Amino acid sequence: MLLSRMVADYSRTAGRPMPIALAFLLAPIVLHRRTREALPKSTITGVLPWLQEHKDVHVTFAGRMRATRAVTQEALMFAMAHAYLAIDGAALAVGRRRVPASYSKDINHTDETRQCVDRAAFVGRWLASAGTDHTIFAAWGVAP
């Protein structure tokens, strides 16, 4: 769900598929509560200026990224196997099946779950205007 929302919002904002490597940034950003809650409210605040103001997120970011790599790989394989995501060259595109834009009121989801989904979509839009994937990785202090 999180990757699908990220890819959909990235693709819609950028007008192109999302580089696959960017998928590995999602979990350490969105699933880490302190980082997720510190994210800006709008994409007007760019990634680079935000990172300059929030240097504390760099301290454990590389470790969180390594720790979530296998989960991200599994999520990518699941999403592609079930047609939620598709490969487009060296990028990810929205698949044939769509993830709901919002949760059904009938399903009991926590506020934290809703926040993670909303922030995943935000991260997609935010990274779409942040430059190349190499620039984005360098800003976060990691290598693709």
Side-chain angles (χ1 to χ4, degrees):
M1 164 81 84
L2 299 179
L3 283 170
S4 294
R5 290 295 306 276
M6 178 190 190
V7 170
D9 279 47
Y10 181 100
S11 298
R12 187 171 36 255
T13 302
R16 65 183 183 280
M18 186 183 87
I20 294 171
L22 294 181
F24 292 89
L25 295 175
L26 183 64
I29 294 172
V30 171
L31 298 182
H32 185 251
R33 179 178 294 214
R34 196 174 52 153
T35 302
R36 179 181 68 240
E37 290 176 350
L39 290 172
K41 300 300 178 212
S42 84
T43 58
I44 292 172
T45 303
V47 174
L48 297 175
W50 182 85
L51 283 168
Q52 288 296 315
E53 292 178 21
H54 295 85
K55 293 182 182 196
D56 57 313
V57 302
H58 285 269
V59 175
T60 60
F61 188 79
R64 290 194 320 263
M65 192 168 164
R66 277 190 301 277
T68 59
R69 187 185 72 209
V71 171
T72 300
Q73 289 171 331
E74 290 289 329
L76 285 167
M77 288 186 289
F78 178 88
M80 287 185 276
H82 294 280
Y84 289 109
L85 293 176
I87 296 291
D88 184 348
L92 290 170
V94 175
R96 291 187 322 271
R97 295 178 70 186
R98 299 286 190 251
V99 173
S102 63
Y103 286 110
S104 167
K105 301 279 188 215
D106 299 335
I107 300 173
N108 188 15
H109 293 286
T110 66
D111 288 338
E112 184 173 22
T113 303
R114 285 187 187 98
Q115 186 183 40
C116 286
V117 173
D118 291 343
R119 298 282 75 194
F122 168 80
V123 168
R125 294 188 307 275
W126 198 40
L127 296 181
S129 59
T132 67
D133 52 340
H134 295 289
T135 300
I136 294 167
F137 273 90
W140 284 93
V142 293

